[in-house]
Amino acid sequence: NELIAKEVLKHKCLVGLIKKKAESLNRFEKFMGWNIRDNEQEECFERLIDWDWSNKNKHDLVKKGSDTWQALVDANIFDVRLYRFAEELFE
């Protein structure tokens, strides 16, 4: 149920977004009480921020508004709506 998923996301989850990695990791650090002090920890944090998924499979981008784009949205409409809700929570 979409409403239950939104309630769980709102009340039980700490939302982070890949497209806002640095801000997300800073939120996690503050929430979890992490204290990045030494160079090794700082380097790890920086690697996470700059992480570009070097092992990911390369695919052509799907053009927003195309038939393929719409087919993906239609097939995943509840995921899309939940993701948009997560973006709202993040802000």
Side-chain angles (χ1 to χ4, degrees):
N1 183 307
E2 184 180 355
L3 291 177
I4 293 172
K6 286 181 176 181
E7 285 299 309
V8 168
L9 194 60
K10 183 175 182 177
H11 296 289
K12 304 276 185 184
C13 299
L14 178 60
V15 174
L17 301 172
I18 290 288
K19 66 183 181 181
K20 295 188 178 183
K21 287 187 283 190
E23 188 177 344
S24 296
L25 287 171
N26 285 328
R27 284 182 181 200
F28 299 155
E29 180 183 13
K30 183 177 179 180
F31 183 84
M32 303 289 186
W34 298 339
N35 195 3
I36 297 176
R37 297 250 181 231
D38 66 28
N39 286 340
E40 185 178 337
Q41 290 173 334
E42 184 65 32
E43 287 174 16
C44 180
F45 188 79
E46 292 300 322
R47 278 194 311 273
L48 286 171
I49 290 172
D50 293 331
W51 174 45
D52 67 355
W53 292 5
S54 60
N55 291 330
K56 73 179 176 182
N57 293 324
K58 306 286 187 208
H59 300 285
D60 294 334
L61 293 177
V62 176
K63 185 177 178 184
K64 190 172 185 175
S66 69
D67 290 342
T68 302
W69 178 276
Q70 193 57 49
L72 288 167
V73 169
D74 292 345
N76 299 285
I77 190 64
F78 294 110
D79 293 328
V80 170
R81 289 182 358 200
L82 191 60
Y83 179 77
R84 288 180 182 150
F85 182 71
E87 287 181 312
E88 291 174 21
L89 292 176
F90 189 83
E91 300 306 323

